[in-house]
Amino acid sequence: MRKMAMMLAAGLFMLSSVPAYAQTAADQKDECLLASRNCMNQVDDIQQRIHKLNKEIQKGTRVYSPQELRKLQDKLKEADDILRNLERPDS
């Protein structure tokens, strides 16, 4: 009986913590895109990088400062330029 009660309590505890984690994860800054920090095991192609940058820029000032948004927009422009250069046919 005790074992069953402990398992039930542990399950309820885990279920109650999931929504809080999901909420903080959605409003967090992406330090990898912003400052190349916490990038372990992240390898993106140029299109994935552009998609992630657009998604982060859409979060706006509720997550990022105006200076950080400018930095993300500069990185987006740079990624767009790289993509255009890669798509350009060789002459």
Side-chain angles (χ1 to χ4, degrees):
M1 185 70 174
R2 278 187 178 173
K3 188 175 184 179
M4 181 72 125
M6 290 299 281
M7 288 175 53
L8 182 61
L12 288 174
F13 176 72
M14 285 191 284
L15 287 175
S16 66
S17 64
V18 171
Y21 174 75
Q23 183 178 6
T24 58
D27 289 342
Q28 283 184 328
K29 295 179 184 180
D30 189 333
E31 293 292 332
C32 183
L33 287 176
L34 189 60
S36 298
R37 282 191 237 139
N38 302 326
C39 296
M40 298 176 99
N41 302 325
Q42 283 190 353
V43 178
D44 297 332
D45 63 23
I46 193 71
Q47 291 172 334
Q48 289 173 329
R49 184 171 172 84
I50 289 171
H51 177 71
K52 283 183 177 181
L53 285 165
N54 277 323
K55 204 163 121 181
E56 292 301 309
I57 289 170
Q58 287 177 356
K59 290 180 182 178
T61 55
R62 73 172 198 267
V63 176
Y64 294 101
S65 70
Q67 294 84 9
E68 291 170 332
L69 281 172
R70 248 181 277 145
K71 188 174 185 179
L72 289 172
Q73 288 168 342
D74 290 343
K75 288 184 179 213
L76 177 61
K77 183 183 179 314
E78 179 183 337
D80 282 334
D81 291 343
I82 291 170
L83 182 61
R84 259 186 262 124
N85 286 336
L86 291 173
E87 290 176 339
R88 186 181 327 153
D90 293 329
S91 300

